Amino acid sequence: MSAMGPVLYYCYDAWCGWCYGFSPVINRIFSEYRDRLGFEVLSGGMILPDPPQPIGAIAPYIQKAYLTVEERTGIKFGKDWLWHIFNPGDSDWFPSSEKPAIALTVFKDYHHDLAVRFATDLQWALHEEGRDLGDDEAYRHLLAKYAIPEKEFYDKLHSPEYKEKAFEEFALVKQLQVTGFPTALLQVGPSKFYLLCRGYTDHATLKARLDGVLRESSFPVE
């Protein structure tokens, strides 16, 4: 835990549609609490097929599930994303959580405190803009936004060191007993965690739970 106080752990996956729907919620919480809480984003490794499988392996499920996410969360999936879901035979996508997870660990070298924003950007790039997160080019537009040197970023993206960091995150998520995404936990002591949400949760509910834990733990709410 940060010496500054409690830390909110946001366990997500770049390929998780429910996390995409949750993005506006966690971003609002980040904006409201960033001056009082630490924020740590962990990638969950939701899709790690070996060997890699084409998008057609999961497209039939997503064709139905995305409507449920839209109805529950109010988020909309972009037409470029949906093209791959409804035309899997013509898509060259092989979904994997690995590269976006590595990209997040690289990003933390530069702006650890903005990891919530970057995770949201990755989900927007995939689910709205239809960028293939398995393709290096899917990240290039974000480097200028965050003033990250391109060569450094791509060198790290392909280095064993950062791949290892990503898999350490996957292992930590399991150690935290996270079994689904999105999940948010608040750490208030060296080994004391409170579960704030498992699965999509609206802003009012999450804020009420967070404030309740802060009060119970004798941390200031406002």
Side-chain angles (χ1 to χ4, degrees):
M1 187 180 68
S2 166
M4 298 295 290
V7 178
L8 191 154
Y9 282 81
Y10 173 40
C11 302
Y12 101 118
D13 193 274
W15 270 88
C16 170
W18 283 107
C19 298
Y20 173 55
F22 185 66
S23 288
V25 175
I26 193 65
N27 262 288
R28 187 173 170 188
I29 291 291
F30 176 68
S31 295
E32 292 167 342
Y33 290 86
R34 62 186 297 186
D35 293 334
R36 289 172 282 154
L37 302 179
F39 282 81
E40 187 68 52
V41 182
L42 300 176
S43 299
M46 187 177 77
I47 302 177
L48 296 170
D50 187 16
Q53 300 295 309
I55 188 72
I58 58 174
Y61 168 77
I62 297 174
Q63 288 169 11
K64 298 183 179 68
Y66 91 92
L67 292 169
T68 307
V69 176
E70 287 191 339
E71 181 180 356
R72 176 88 187 279
T73 71
I75 202 95
K76 293 297 179 184
F77 288 80
K79 60 179 174 48
D80 292 327
W81 154 262
L82 291 173
W83 182 90
H84 290 273
I85 301 307
F86 285 95
N87 299 277
D90 296 321
S91 173
D92 60 355
W93 283 11
F94 283 76
S96 173
S97 301
E98 182 177 307
K99 186 169 286 188
I102 298 171
L104 178 63
T105 67
V106 174
F107 178 85
K108 289 177 185 179
D109 271 4
Y110 299 93
H111 305 290
H112 199 114
D113 59 322
L114 296 178
V116 170
R117 301 283 195 237
F118 187 71
T120 296
D121 287 339
L122 292 183
Q123 296 216 293
W124 181 264
L126 175 64
H127 294 106
E128 166 57 31
E129 298 175 329
R131 298 178 190 263
D132 177 8
L133 297 183
D135 182 354
D136 283 4
E137 289 304 310
Y139 305 90
R140 195 174 299 277
H141 69 294
L142 295 175
L143 303 184
K145 176 179 180 178
Y146 291 102
I148 297 174
E150 286 191 10
K151 185 178 186 307
E152 281 185 15
F153 176 84
Y154 285 114
D155 284 349
K156 291 177 178 180
L157 187 66
H158 291 283
S159 75
E161 176 188 355
Y162 287 86
K163 179 176 179 177
E164 184 177 342
K165 287 182 178 182
F167 277 81
E168 286 172 357
E169 286 195 6
F170 302 157
L172 178 55
V173 167
K174 288 181 179 177
Q175 185 180 336
L176 291 170
Q177 300 180 352
V178 172
T179 56
F181 309 104
T183 291
L185 304 153
L186 189 70
Q187 185 182 14
V188 297
S191 58
K192 190 170 186 179
F193 290 81
Y194 286 85
L195 178 66
L196 299 177
C197 73
R198 180 187 289 122
Y200 176 79
T201 304
D202 62 52
H203 173 265
T205 302
L206 181 57
K207 180 175 173 58
R209 290 176 184 168
L210 178 53
D211 286 345
V213 172
L214 290 172
R215 287 192 193 97
E216 182 180 328
S217 305
S218 300
F219 290 104
V221 173
E222 296 297 340

